[in-house]
């Protein structure tokens, strides 16, 4: 089906998305063809809410409203790793998060969006691990890594021994996630996740999302790396491209990176912004997470201190 947003999606007889051209509008939470903004607000009294800021046709935003509310003590936003994407292939953006219960226990949740921009409850609970995983040791990225029309999750896990491993969670037809598989591995000393700023996008135009990283080196230089996705959702060895010296570029720590098709050629690009001023932070009594933006067994436990 060719959707009115320009995204070509192939469905099976049950209406389940099988393949996409990869041109879907990102973060469209009500399916009107325009990107929106969602935020997770952690209130001082302990309850949490997902808000939606829907867009008008002129690019401005409507007032935020509560799309889902969670009672006091149900979640703590500081223990979650968030991602957004269309996880059930219905053309609307959803919110997924990995929640860390402590002691190595984690679980994946999905909040599916509805046509009015609110979210279905109860949340979808999919993969979980009783031990061996720590949210502080991973970065969670979202994209359609296998090109089936549903966004997936990739977890970049950094071990205490210095090695790194990517795990891919492909999305299932209901918007939950299948058990993860090893999708890329780097030996100790080859990569430092703390010197990496990651984004996802279809950077080679093959209909599958990839991972790009702006890497900051000890001498102050920076380089762009691309990890292209394969049809299974695994990743190829990085391709190194643009780079610059500390003198030519500036401070990696002051750089924010985002991805999108900024020239309309159907291929994703990355854009960097150098931070020149300190940001004003909200009242520490309130914590806001704004999203524009596992392996069976206990693989991550090895080497984690």
């Amino acid at each position: 089906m060719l959707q009115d947003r320009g995204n070509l999606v192939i469905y099976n007889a049950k209406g389940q998305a099988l393949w996409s051209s990869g041109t879907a509008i990102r973060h469209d939470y009500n399916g009107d063809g325009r990107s929106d903004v969602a935020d997770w607000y952690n209130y001082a009294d302990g309850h949490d809410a997902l808000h939606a800021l829907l867009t008008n046709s002129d690019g401005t935003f409507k007032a935020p409203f509560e799309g889902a509310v969670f009672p006091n003590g149900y979640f703590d936003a500081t223990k979650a790793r968030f991602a957004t994407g269309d996880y059930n292939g219905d053309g609307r953006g959803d919110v997924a998060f990995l929640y860390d219960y402590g002691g190595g226990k984690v679980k994946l949740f999905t909040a599916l969006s509805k046509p009015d921009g609110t979210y279905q409850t109860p949340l979808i609970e999919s993969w979980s691990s009783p031990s061996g995983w720590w949210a502080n040791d991973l970065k969670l990225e979202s994209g359609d890594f296998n090109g089936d029309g549903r966004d997936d999750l990739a977890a970049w896990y950094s071990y205490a021994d210095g090695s790194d491993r990517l795990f891919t969670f492909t999305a299932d037809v209901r918007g939950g996630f299948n058990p993860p598989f090893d999708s890329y591995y780097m030996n100790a000393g080859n990569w430092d996740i703390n010197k990496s700023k990651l984004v996802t996008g279809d950077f080679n135009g093959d209909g599958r999302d990839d991972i790009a990283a702006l890497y900051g080196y000890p001498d102050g230089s920076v380089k762009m790396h691309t990890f292209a996705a394969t049809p299974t959702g695994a990743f190829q060895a990085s391709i190194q491209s643009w780079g610059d010296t500390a003198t030519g570029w500036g401070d990696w720590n002051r750089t924010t990176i985002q991805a999108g098709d900024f020239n309309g050629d159907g291929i994703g690009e990355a854009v960097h912004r150098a931070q020149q001023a300190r940001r004003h932070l909200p009242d520490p009594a309130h914590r806001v997470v704004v999203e524009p933006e596992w392996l069976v067994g206990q693989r991550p436990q090895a080497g984690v201190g």
Side-chain angles (χ1 to χ4, degrees):
M1 180 178 70
L2 182 61
Q3 299 175 333
D4 59 6
R5 295 174 299 281
N7 186 35
L8 178 63
V9 182
I10 295 176
Y11 295 90
N12 62 17
K14 297 180 180 180
Q16 299 165 345
L18 301 176
W19 180 87
S20 169
S21 63
T23 58
I25 301 296
R26 295 292 187 186
H27 317 298
D28 179 7
Y29 299 114
N30 61 350
D32 65 357
R34 298 188 298 268
S35 295
D36 308 302
V37 171
D39 77 73
W40 183 294
Y41 203 96
N42 182 207
Y43 288 87
D45 66 1
H47 87 276
D48 294 78
L50 260 174
H51 297 102
L53 290 83
L54 303 180
T55 49
N56 299 304
S57 59
D58 62 358
T60 59
F61 288 88
K62 296 179 172 67
F65 60 89
E66 291 183 342
V69 179
F70 307 100
N72 183 13
Y74 202 75
F75 288 118
D76 179 351
T78 63
K79 298 179 180 179
R81 296 293 178 268
F82 294 92
T84 62
D86 181 6
Y87 300 117
N88 61 354
D90 66 356
R92 296 189 300 270
D94 313 302
V95 177
F97 59 97
L98 178 89
Y99 195 79
D100 191 334
Y101 288 94
K105 179 182 178 181
V106 295
K107 182 180 288 187
L108 276 172
F109 293 88
T110 311
L112 296 178
S113 64
K114 298 190 292 186
D116 61 358
T118 61
Y119 299 91
Q120 298 179 26
T121 55
L123 302 178
I124 293 177
E125 301 180 20
S126 50
W127 176 85
S128 65
S129 176
S131 62
W133 287 78
W134 285 265
N136 286 336
D137 293 331
L138 64 87
K139 290 189 177 182
L140 196 64
E141 299 294 328
S142 181
D144 185 5
F145 301 121
N146 59 0
D148 66 353
R150 297 186 298 270
D151 283 325
D152 313 300
L153 294 175
W156 190 304
Y157 205 97
S158 180
Y159 292 91
D161 66 0
S163 62
D164 291 82
R165 192 182 298 270
L166 270 165
F167 296 93
T168 300
F169 302 81
T170 56
D172 60 33
V173 294
R174 65 194 181 105
F177 298 95
N178 297 306
F181 62 89
D182 294 29
S183 50
Y184 192 68
Y185 176 77
M186 282 180 283
N187 292 319
N190 287 348
W191 198 270
D192 182 355
I193 192 61
N194 294 318
K195 300 301 295 181
S196 313
K197 299 191 176 183
L198 306 177
V199 290
T200 60
D202 183 7
F203 301 118
N204 56 6
D206 64 358
R208 297 185 297 271
D209 284 324
D210 315 300
I211 294 177
L214 178 70
Y215 197 88
Y217 290 87
D219 64 358
S221 62
V222 296
K223 288 186 175 69
M224 286 297 301
H225 295 261
T226 306
F227 298 84
T230 71
T232 65
F235 296 93
Q236 303 176 42
S238 72
I239 303 170
Q240 182 178 303
S241 51
W242 171 86
D244 206 343
T245 64
T247 302
W249 176 251
D251 189 350
W252 178 90
N253 292 301
R254 290 179 173 269
T255 305
T256 301
I257 184 171
Q258 301 292 337
D261 183 8
F262 300 113
N263 62 356
D265 64 357
I267 300 175
E269 291 89 35
V271 63
H272 317 84
R273 179 178 67 85
Q275 181 186 12
Q276 298 297 336
R278 297 175 65 183
R279 289 178 291 178
H280 176 69
L281 300 178
D283 185 332
H286 298 16
R287 293 183 294 275
V288 180
V289 180
V290 177
E291 292 296 335
E293 1 153 27
W294 315 85
L295 184 68
V296 176
Q298 307 306 324
R299 166 88 67 181
Q301 190 164 12
V304 175

